[in-house]
Amino acid sequence: VPLTHTDEGREFDGASLMECYETDAACKHLKPYVPIIKNSPLYPVVLDSEETVMSLPPIINGSKSRITLDTKNVFIECTATDLTK
């Protein structure tokens, strides 16, 4: 699934996006979350019915799921990497 960096509009594969979030100064607020999934064989991605990425938990939400003052419908997802808690 191609992932788009919303500020740049560039598409990334999962490994390239993790690298961007670790090294890009504009993404420094996301860097602490990268190690949680970076070495996973698969990345958790929430897609809508049109296969648009809504979220890459626990790192970032997609631009399509951004909440504004005009938002009327909200989807709340809870994810975790520890199955025992």
Coordinates of all heavy atoms in Angstrom, one line a residue:
V1 N 0.9 -1.2 0.0 CA 0.0 0.0 0.0 C 0.9 1.2 0.0 O 1.7 1.4 0.9 CB -0.9 0.0 1.3 CG1 -1.7 1.3 1.3 CG2 -1.8 -1.2 1.3
P2 N 0.8 2.1 -1.0 CA 1.6 3.3 -1.0 C 1.1 4.3 0.1 O -0.1 4.4 0.3 CB 1.4 3.9 -2.4 CG 0.2 3.3 -2.9 CD 0.0 2.0 -2.2
L3 N 2.0 4.9 0.8 CA 1.7 5.9 1.8 C 2.2 7.2 1.3 O 3.3 7.4 0.8 CB 2.4 5.5 3.1 CG 2.1 4.1 3.6 CD1 3.1 3.7 4.7 CD2 0.7 4.0 4.2
T4 N 1.3 8.2 1.5 CA 1.6 9.6 1.0 C 1.9 10.5 2.2 O 1.1 10.5 3.2 CB 0.5 10.2 0.2 OG1 0.2 9.3 -0.9 CG2 0.8 11.5 -0.3
H5 N 3.1 11.1 2.2 CA 3.4 12.1 3.2 C 2.6 13.3 2.8 O 2.8 14.0 1.8 CB 4.9 12.4 3.1 CG 5.4 13.3 4.2 ND1 5.1 14.6 4.3 CD2 6.2 13.1 5.2 CE1 5.6 15.2 5.3 NE2 6.4 14.2 5.9
T6 N 1.7 13.7 3.7 CA 0.6 14.7 3.4 C 1.2 16.1 3.1 O 0.7 16.8 2.4 CB -0.4 14.8 4.5 OG1 0.2 15.1 5.7 CG2 -1.2 13.5 4.6
D7 N 2.3 16.4 3.8 CA 2.9 17.8 3.6 C 3.6 17.9 2.2 O 3.7 19.0 1.7 CB 3.9 18.1 4.7 CG 3.2 18.2 6.1 OD1 1.9 18.5 6.1 OD2 3.8 18.0 7.1
E8 N 4.1 16.8 1.7 CA 4.9 16.8 0.5 C 4.1 16.3 -0.7 O 4.4 16.6 -1.8 CB 6.2 16.1 0.7 CG 7.1 16.7 1.7 CD 8.4 15.9 1.9 OE1 8.7 15.0 1.1 OE2 9.1 16.1 2.9
G9 N 3.2 15.4 -0.4 CA 2.4 14.7 -1.5 C 3.2 13.6 -2.2 O 2.8 13.0 -3.1
R10 N 4.4 13.3 -1.6 CA 5.2 12.2 -2.2 C 4.7 10.9 -1.7 O 4.3 10.8 -0.5 CB 6.7 12.3 -1.8 CG 7.4 13.4 -2.5 CD 8.9 13.5 -2.2 NE 9.4 12.4 -1.3 CZ 10.4 12.6 -0.5 NH1 11.0 13.8 -0.3 NH2 10.9 11.6 0.2
E11 N 4.8 9.8 -2.5 CA 4.4 8.5 -2.1 C 5.6 7.7 -1.6 O 6.7 7.9 -2.2 CB 3.7 7.7 -3.2 CG 2.3 8.1 -3.4 CD 1.5 7.2 -4.3 OE1 2.1 6.2 -4.9 OE2 0.3 7.4 -4.5
F12 N 5.4 6.9 -0.6 CA 6.5 6.1 0.0 C 6.0 4.7 0.2 O 4.9 4.5 0.4 CB 6.9 6.7 1.4 CG 7.5 8.0 1.5 CD1 6.7 9.1 1.6 CD2 8.8 8.2 1.5 CE1 7.2 10.4 1.6 CE2 9.4 9.4 1.6 CZ 8.6 10.5 1.6
D13 N 7.0 3.8 0.2 CA 6.7 2.4 0.7 C 6.9 2.5 2.2 O 7.4 3.6 2.7 CB 7.5 1.3 0.0 CG 9.0 1.4 0.3 OD1 9.4 2.2 1.2 OD2 9.7 0.8 -0.5
G14 N 6.5 1.5 3.0 CA 6.6 1.6 4.4 C 8.0 1.9 4.9 O 8.2 2.7 5.8
A15 N 9.0 1.2 4.4 CA 10.4 1.3 4.9 C 10.9 2.7 4.6 O 11.6 3.4 5.5 CB 11.3 0.3 4.3
S16 N 10.6 3.3 3.4 CA 11.1 4.6 3.1 C 10.4 5.7 4.0 O 11.0 6.7 4.3 CB 10.8 4.9 1.6 OG 11.4 4.0 0.8
L17 N 9.1 5.5 4.3 CA 8.4 6.4 5.1 C 9.0 6.4 6.5 O 9.2 7.5 7.2 CB 6.9 6.1 5.2 CG 6.0 7.1 5.9 CD1 6.1 8.5 5.2 CD2 4.6 6.7 6.0
M18 N 9.3 5.2 7.1 CA 10.0 5.1 8.4 C 11.3 5.9 8.4 O 11.6 6.6 9.3 CB 10.2 3.7 8.8 CG 9.0 2.9 9.0 SD 7.9 3.4 10.3 CE 6.5 4.0 9.3
E19 N 12.0 5.8 7.3 CA 13.3 6.5 7.2 C 13.1 8.0 7.2 O 13.8 8.7 7.9 CB 14.1 6.0 5.9 CG 15.4 6.7 5.7 CD 16.5 6.3 6.7 OE1 16.4 5.2 7.3 OE2 17.4 7.1 6.9
C20 N 12.1 8.4 6.5 CA 11.8 9.8 6.4 C 11.4 10.4 7.8 O 11.9 11.4 8.2 CB 10.6 10.1 5.4 SG 10.0 11.8 5.3
Y21 N 10.6 9.6 8.5 CA 10.1 10.1 9.8 C 11.3 10.1 10.8 O 11.2 10.8 11.8 CB 9.0 9.2 10.3 CG 7.7 9.5 9.6 CD1 6.6 8.6 9.6 CD2 7.5 10.7 8.9 CE1 5.4 8.8 9.0 CE2 6.3 10.9 8.2 CZ 5.3 10.0 8.3 OH 4.1 10.3 7.7
E22 N 12.3 9.2 10.6 CA 13.4 9.2 11.5 C 14.4 10.3 11.3 O 15.1 10.8 12.2 CB 14.2 7.9 11.4 CG 13.5 6.7 12.1 CD 14.3 5.5 12.1 OE1 14.9 5.1 11.0 OE2 14.4 4.8 13.1
T23 N 14.5 10.8 10.0 CA 15.6 11.7 9.6 C 15.1 13.1 9.3 O 15.9 14.1 9.4 CB 16.4 11.1 8.5 OG1 15.5 10.9 7.4 CG2 17.0 9.8 8.9
D24 N 13.9 13.3 8.8 CA 13.4 14.6 8.4 C 13.1 15.5 9.6 O 12.3 15.1 10.4 CB 12.1 14.4 7.5 CG 11.6 15.7 6.9 OD1 11.9 16.8 7.3 OD2 10.9 15.6 5.8
A25 N 13.8 16.6 9.6 CA 13.6 17.6 10.7 C 12.1 18.0 10.9 O 11.7 18.2 12.0 CB 14.5 18.8 10.5
A26 N 11.4 18.1 9.8 CA 10.0 18.5 9.9 C 9.1 17.4 10.6 O 8.0 17.7 11.0 CB 9.5 18.8 8.5
C27 N 9.7 16.2 10.7 CA 8.9 15.1 11.3 C 9.5 14.7 12.6 O 9.1 13.6 13.1 CB 8.9 13.9 10.3 SG 8.2 14.2 8.7
K28 N 10.2 15.5 13.2 CA 10.9 15.1 14.5 C 9.9 14.7 15.6 O 10.2 13.9 16.5 CB 11.8 16.2 15.0 CG 11.1 17.5 15.4 CD 12.1 18.5 15.8 CE 11.4 19.8 16.2 NZ 12.3 20.9 16.6
H29 N 8.7 15.2 15.5 CA 7.7 14.9 16.5 C 7.2 13.4 16.4 O 6.6 12.9 17.3 CB 6.5 15.9 16.5 CG 5.8 15.9 15.2 ND1 6.4 16.4 14.1 CD2 4.6 15.4 14.8 CE1 5.5 16.3 13.0 NE2 4.4 15.7 13.5
L30 N 7.4 12.8 15.2 CA 7.0 11.5 14.9 C 8.1 10.5 15.2 O 7.8 9.3 15.4 CB 6.6 11.3 13.5 CG 5.4 12.3 13.0 CD1 5.2 12.1 11.5 CD2 4.2 11.9 13.8
K31 N 9.3 10.9 15.3 CA 10.5 10.0 15.4 C 10.4 9.1 16.6 O 10.7 7.9 16.5 CB 11.8 10.8 15.5 CG 13.0 10.0 15.6 CD 14.3 10.9 15.6 CE 15.5 10.0 15.7 NZ 16.7 10.9 15.6
P32 N 9.9 9.5 17.8 CA 9.8 8.6 18.9 C 8.9 7.4 18.7 O 9.1 6.3 19.4 CB 9.3 9.4 20.1 CG 9.6 10.8 19.7 CD 9.5 10.9 18.2
Y33 N 8.0 7.5 17.8 CA 7.0 6.4 17.5 C 7.5 5.4 16.5 O 7.0 4.3 16.4 CB 5.7 7.0 17.1 CG 5.1 7.9 18.1 CD1 5.2 9.3 17.9 CD2 4.6 7.5 19.3 CE1 4.8 10.2 18.9 CE2 4.1 8.4 20.3 CZ 4.2 9.7 20.1 OH 3.7 10.6 21.0
V34 N 8.5 5.8 15.7 CA 8.9 4.9 14.6 C 9.4 3.5 15.1 O 9.1 2.5 14.6 CB 10.0 5.6 13.8 CG1 10.7 4.7 12.8 CG2 9.4 6.8 13.0
P35 N 10.3 3.5 16.2 CA 10.8 2.1 16.6 C 9.7 1.1 17.0 O 9.9 -0.1 17.0 CB 11.6 2.5 17.8 CG 12.0 3.9 17.7 CD 10.8 4.5 17.0
I36 N 8.5 1.6 17.4 CA 7.4 0.7 17.8 C 7.0 -0.3 16.7 O 6.8 -1.4 16.9 CB 6.2 1.5 18.2 CG1 6.5 2.4 19.5 CG2 5.0 0.6 18.5 CD1 5.4 3.4 19.8
I37 N 7.1 0.2 15.4 CA 6.7 -0.7 14.3 C 7.8 -0.9 13.2 O 7.6 -1.7 12.3 CB 5.4 -0.2 13.6 CG1 5.6 1.2 13.0 CG2 4.2 -0.2 14.6 CD1 4.4 1.6 12.0
K38 N 8.9 -0.1 13.3 CA 9.8 -0.1 12.2 C 10.3 -1.5 11.8 O 10.4 -1.8 10.6 CB 11.1 0.7 12.6 CG 12.1 0.8 11.5 CD 13.2 1.7 11.8 CE 14.2 1.7 10.6 NZ 15.4 2.4 10.9
N39 N 10.6 -2.4 12.7 CA 11.1 -3.7 12.4 C 10.0 -4.8 12.3 O 10.3 -6.0 12.2 CB 12.2 -4.1 13.4 CG 13.4 -3.2 13.3 OD1 13.8 -2.8 12.2 ND2 13.9 -2.9 14.5
S40 N 8.8 -4.4 12.2 CA 7.7 -5.3 12.1 C 7.7 -5.9 10.6 O 8.0 -5.1 9.7 CB 6.3 -4.7 12.3 OG 6.3 -4.2 13.7
P41 N 7.3 -7.1 10.4 CA 7.2 -7.7 9.1 C 6.1 -7.0 8.3 O 6.2 -6.9 7.0 CB 6.9 -9.2 9.3 CG 6.4 -9.3 10.7 CD 7.0 -8.1 11.4
L42 N 5.1 -6.6 8.9 CA 3.9 -5.8 8.3 C 3.6 -4.6 9.1 O 3.7 -4.6 10.4 CB 2.7 -6.7 8.2 CG 2.8 -8.0 7.4 CD1 1.6 -8.8 7.6 CD2 3.0 -7.7 5.9
Y43 N 3.3 -3.5 8.5 CA 2.9 -2.3 9.2 C 1.4 -2.3 9.4 O 0.6 -2.6 8.4 CB 3.4 -1.1 8.5 CG 4.9 -0.9 8.5 CD1 5.5 -0.5 7.3 CD2 5.6 -1.2 9.6 CE1 6.9 -0.3 7.3 CE2 7.0 -1.1 9.5 CZ 7.6 -0.6 8.4 OH 9.0 -0.5 8.3
P44 N 0.9 -1.8 10.5 CA -0.6 -1.7 10.7 C -1.1 -0.5 10.0 O -0.7 0.6 10.2 CB -0.7 -1.5 12.2 CG 0.6 -0.9 12.6 CD 1.6 -1.4 11.7
V45 N -2.0 -0.7 9.0 CA -2.5 0.3 8.2 C -4.0 0.2 8.2 O -4.6 -0.9 8.0 CB -2.0 0.3 6.8 CG1 -2.7 1.3 5.9 CG2 -0.5 0.4 6.7
V46 N -4.7 1.3 8.5 CA -6.2 1.4 8.5 C -6.6 2.0 7.1 O -6.2 3.1 6.8 CB -6.8 2.2 9.7 CG1 -8.3 2.2 9.6 CG2 -6.3 1.6 11.0
L47 N -7.3 1.2 6.3 CA -7.8 1.7 5.0 C -9.3 1.9 5.0 O -10.0 1.3 5.7 CB -7.5 0.6 4.0 CG -6.0 0.2 3.8 CD1 -5.9 -1.0 2.9 CD2 -5.1 1.3 3.4
D48 N -9.7 2.9 4.1 CA -11.1 3.0 4.0 C -11.6 2.1 2.8 O -10.8 1.3 2.3 CB -11.5 4.5 3.7 CG -11.0 5.1 2.4 OD1 -10.5 4.3 1.6 OD2 -11.2 6.3 2.2
S49 N -12.8 2.2 2.4 CA -13.4 1.3 1.4 C -12.8 1.5 0.0 O -12.9 0.7 -0.9 CB -14.9 1.5 1.3 OG -15.2 2.8 0.9
E50 N -12.1 2.7 -0.2 CA -11.4 3.0 -1.4 C -9.9 2.7 -1.4 O -9.2 3.1 -2.2 CB -11.7 4.5 -1.8 CG -13.2 4.8 -2.0 CD -13.5 6.2 -2.1 OE1 -12.5 7.1 -2.0 OE2 -14.6 6.6 -2.4
E51 N -9.5 2.0 -0.3 CA -8.1 1.6 -0.1 C -7.2 2.9 0.1 O -6.0 2.8 -0.1 CB -7.6 0.8 -1.2 CG -8.4 -0.5 -1.4 CD -7.7 -1.7 -1.0 OE1 -6.4 -1.8 -1.0 OE2 -8.4 -2.7 -0.7
T52 N -7.8 4.0 0.6 CA -7.0 5.1 1.0 C -6.5 4.9 2.4 O -7.3 4.5 3.3 CB -7.9 6.4 0.9 OG1 -8.4 6.5 -0.4 CG2 -7.1 7.6 1.3
V53 N -5.3 5.2 2.7 CA -4.7 5.1 4.0 C -5.4 6.1 5.0 O -5.2 7.3 4.7 CB -3.2 5.2 4.1 CG1 -2.7 5.1 5.5 CG2 -2.6 4.1 3.2
M54 N -6.0 5.6 6.0 CA -6.6 6.5 7.0 C -5.7 6.8 8.2 O -5.7 7.8 8.8 CB -8.0 5.9 7.5 CG -9.0 5.7 6.4 SD -9.5 7.2 5.6 CE -10.6 7.9 6.8
S55 N -4.9 5.7 8.5 CA -4.0 5.8 9.6 C -2.9 4.8 9.5 O -3.1 3.7 8.9 CB -4.8 5.5 10.9 OG -4.0 5.5 12.0
L56 N -1.7 5.2 10.0 CA -0.6 4.3 10.2 C -0.3 4.3 11.7 O 0.6 5.0 12.2 CB 0.6 4.8 9.4 CG 1.9 4.0 9.5 CD1 1.7 2.6 9.0 CD2 3.0 4.7 8.8
P57 N -1.1 3.6 12.5 CA -0.9 3.6 13.9 C 0.4 2.9 14.4 O 0.8 2.0 13.8 CB -2.1 2.9 14.5 CG -2.7 2.1 13.4 CD -2.2 2.7 12.1
P58 N 1.0 3.4 15.4 CA 0.7 4.5 16.2 C 1.4 5.8 15.8 O 1.5 6.8 16.6 CB 1.3 4.1 17.6 CG 2.6 3.4 17.1 CD 2.2 2.7 15.8
I59 N 1.8 5.9 14.5 CA 2.6 7.0 14.1 C 1.8 8.2 13.6 O 2.0 9.3 14.1 CB 3.6 6.6 13.0 CG1 4.5 5.5 13.6 CG2 4.4 7.8 12.5 CD1 5.6 5.0 12.7
I60 N 0.9 8.0 12.7 CA 0.2 9.2 12.1 C -1.1 8.8 11.5 O -1.3 7.7 11.1 CB 1.2 9.9 11.1 CG1 0.7 11.3 10.7 CG2 1.3 9.0 9.8 CD1 1.8 12.1 10.1
N61 N -2.0 9.8 11.4 CA -3.3 9.6 10.7 C -3.1 10.2 9.3 O -2.3 11.1 9.1 CB -4.4 10.3 11.5 CG -4.7 9.6 12.8 OD1 -4.7 8.4 12.8 ND2 -5.0 10.4 13.8
G62 N -4.0 9.8 8.4 CA -3.9 10.3 7.1 C -4.7 11.6 7.0 O -5.5 12.0 7.8
S63 N -4.4 12.3 5.9 CA -5.0 13.7 5.7 C -6.5 13.5 5.5 O -7.3 14.4 5.9 CB -4.4 14.4 4.5 OG -4.6 13.7 3.3
K64 N -7.0 12.4 5.0 CA -8.4 12.2 4.7 C -9.2 12.1 6.1 O -10.4 12.3 6.1 CB -8.6 10.9 3.9 CG -10.0 10.8 3.4 CD -10.2 9.7 2.4 CE -11.6 9.6 1.9 NZ -11.8 8.5 1.0
S65 N -8.5 11.6 7.1 CA -9.1 11.5 8.4 C -8.9 12.6 9.4 O -9.2 12.6 10.5 CB -8.7 10.2 9.1 OG -7.3 10.1 9.3
R66 N -8.3 13.7 8.8 CA -8.0 14.9 9.7 C -9.3 15.5 10.1 O -10.3 15.6 9.4 CB -7.2 15.9 8.8 CG -6.8 17.1 9.6 CD -5.9 18.0 8.8 NE -4.6 17.4 8.8 CZ -3.7 17.5 7.8 NH1 -4.0 18.3 6.8 NH2 -2.6 16.9 7.9
I67 N -9.4 15.9 11.4 CA -10.6 16.5 12.0 C -10.5 18.0 11.9 O -9.4 18.6 12.2 CB -10.7 16.1 13.5 CG1 -11.0 14.6 13.5 CG2 -11.8 16.9 14.1 CD1 -11.1 14.0 14.9
T68 N -11.5 18.7 11.5 CA -11.6 20.1 11.4 C -12.9 20.6 12.1 O -13.7 19.7 12.6 CB -11.7 20.6 9.9 OG1 -13.0 20.2 9.4 CG2 -10.6 20.0 9.1
L69 N -13.1 21.8 12.2 CA -14.3 22.4 12.8 C -15.6 21.9 12.1 O -16.7 21.9 12.7 CB -14.3 23.9 12.9 CG -13.2 24.4 13.8 CD1 -13.2 26.0 13.8 CD2 -13.4 24.0 15.3
D70 N -15.5 21.5 10.8 CA -16.6 21.1 10.0 C -16.8 19.6 10.1 O -17.8 19.1 9.4 CB -16.4 21.6 8.6 CG -16.4 23.1 8.4 OD1 -17.1 23.7 9.2 OD2 -15.6 23.6 7.6
T71 N -16.0 18.9 10.8 CA -16.1 17.4 10.8 C -17.5 17.0 11.5 O -17.8 17.5 12.5 CB -15.0 16.8 11.6 OG1 -13.8 17.2 11.0 CG2 -15.1 15.3 11.7
K72 N -18.2 16.1 10.9 CA -19.4 15.6 11.4 C -19.4 14.2 11.8 O -20.1 13.8 12.7 CB -20.5 15.8 10.4 CG -20.8 17.3 10.1 CD -21.9 17.5 9.1 CE -22.1 19.0 9.0 NZ -22.8 19.4 7.9
N73 N -18.6 13.3 11.2 CA -18.5 11.9 11.5 C -17.1 11.6 11.9 O -16.1 12.0 11.3 CB -18.8 11.1 10.3 CG -20.3 11.3 9.8 OD1 -21.2 11.2 10.6 ND2 -20.4 11.6 8.6
V74 N -16.9 10.9 13.0 CA -15.6 10.6 13.6 C -15.5 9.1 13.7 O -16.4 8.4 14.3 CB -15.4 11.3 14.9 CG1 -14.1 10.9 15.5 CG2 -15.6 12.8 14.8
F75 N -14.4 8.5 13.3 CA -14.0 7.1 13.5 C -12.9 7.1 14.5 O -11.9 7.7 14.3 CB -13.6 6.5 12.2 CG -13.0 5.1 12.3 CD1 -13.9 4.0 12.6 CD2 -11.7 4.9 12.2 CE1 -13.3 2.8 12.7 CE2 -11.1 3.6 12.3 CZ -12.0 2.6 12.6
I76 N -13.1 6.4 15.6 CA -12.1 6.2 16.6 C -11.5 4.8 16.6 O -12.3 3.9 16.7 CB -12.6 6.6 18.0 CG1 -13.1 8.0 18.0 CG2 -11.6 6.3 19.1 CD1 -13.9 8.4 19.3
E77 N -10.2 4.7 16.4 CA -9.6 3.4 16.5 C -8.6 3.3 17.6 O -8.0 4.3 17.9 CB -8.9 3.1 15.1 CG -7.9 4.1 14.6 CD -6.5 3.8 15.0 OE1 -6.2 2.7 15.6 OE2 -5.6 4.6 14.8
C78 N -8.5 2.2 18.2 CA -7.5 1.9 19.3 C -6.7 0.8 18.9 O -7.2 -0.3 18.6 CB -8.2 1.6 20.6 SG -9.3 3.0 21.2
T79 N -5.4 1.0 18.9 CA -4.5 -0.1 18.5 C -3.4 -0.3 19.6 O -3.1 0.7 20.3 CB -3.8 0.2 17.2 OG1 -3.2 1.4 17.2 CG2 -4.8 0.2 16.0
A80 N -2.8 -1.5 19.6 CA -1.7 -1.7 20.6 C -0.8 -2.8 20.0 O -1.2 -3.6 19.2 CB -2.3 -2.1 21.9
T81 N 0.4 -2.9 20.5 CA 1.3 -3.9 20.1 C 1.4 -5.0 21.2 O 2.0 -6.0 20.9 CB 2.7 -3.4 19.8 OG1 3.2 -2.7 21.0 CG2 2.7 -2.4 18.7
D82 N 0.9 -4.8 22.3 CA 0.9 -5.7 23.4 C -0.4 -6.4 23.6 O -1.4 -5.8 24.0 CB 1.3 -5.0 24.7 CG 1.6 -6.0 25.9 OD1 1.1 -7.1 25.8 OD2 2.3 -5.6 26.8
L83 N -0.5 -7.7 23.3 CA -1.8 -8.4 23.4 C -2.3 -8.7 24.8 O -3.4 -9.2 25.0 CB -1.7 -9.7 22.5 CG -1.5 -9.5 21.0 CD1 -1.3 -10.8 20.4 CD2 -2.6 -8.7 20.4
T84 N -1.4 -8.5 25.8 CA -1.7 -8.9 27.1 C -2.3 -7.7 28.0 O -2.7 -8.0 29.1 CB -0.5 -9.5 27.9 OG1 0.5 -8.5 28.0 CG2 0.0 -10.7 27.1
K85 N -2.3 -6.5 27.5 CA -2.7 -5.4 28.3 C -4.0 -4.8 27.7 O -4.2 -4.8 26.5 CB -1.6 -4.3 28.4 CG -0.4 -4.8 29.2 CD 0.6 -3.8 29.3 CE 1.8 -4.3 30.0 NZ 2.9 -3.5 30.1

